[in-house]
Amino acid sequence: MYRSELSACEGTTSTPNILKRSPEVCVGCKNFAINETSIDWWLSREAKYVSFMKLKNIEWQGKLIAKRRLESCRKALDMGKIKRLPDEK
């Protein structure tokens, strides 16, 4: 159940703040919960960033952003006790 006083995105009493919401913000929110409908989304996002991290000739800034986003995916999946993809090499 959503509680505004726990909202990481400074949402209202009834809903998260759409302007400050993002996967990285949501996964750090005390209101966050992974459920059946979001598992595939998180797994797909994780796979996308694992693939991106394997690409050559990517600027360090892009790799840093991708690494942070991958970490948030893994945090979400860990919270839901969902099996993750192996670490990139």
Side-chain angles (χ1 to χ4, degrees), residues 41-52 70 73 85:
W41 187 87
W42 284 103
L43 287 169
S44 174
R45 185 173 166 87
E46 178 193 33
K48 178 173 79 170
Y49 287 113
V50 166
S51 294
F52 183 85
L70 179 58
C73 291
L85 293 172

Side-chain angles (χ1 to χ4, degrees), residues 3-69:
R3 293 178 50 193
S4 61
E5 65 271 14
L6 301 177
S7 175
C9 65
E10 301 171 358
T12 67
T13 56
S14 60
T15 186
N17 183 334
I18 195 78
L19 298 176
K20 294 185 178 182
R21 220 172 109 168
S22 73
E24 290 72 36
V25 171
C26 290
V27 80
C29 182
K30 292 182 180 173
N31 284 307
F32 180 80
I34 193 166
N35 58 36
E36 292 289 326
T37 59
S38 63
I39 290 170
D40 287 341
W41 187 87
W42 284 103
L43 287 169
S44 174
R45 185 173 166 87
E46 178 193 33
K48 178 173 79 170
Y49 287 113
V50 166
S51 294
F52 183 85
M53 294 296 287
K54 292 177 183 177
L55 295 175
K56 306 287 186 222
N57 301 320
I58 301 296
E59 295 289 331
W60 67 269
Q61 299 95 329
K63 291 268 190 176
L64 182 62
I65 291 167
K67 182 178 183 223
R68 288 181 182 160
R69 290 179 178 172

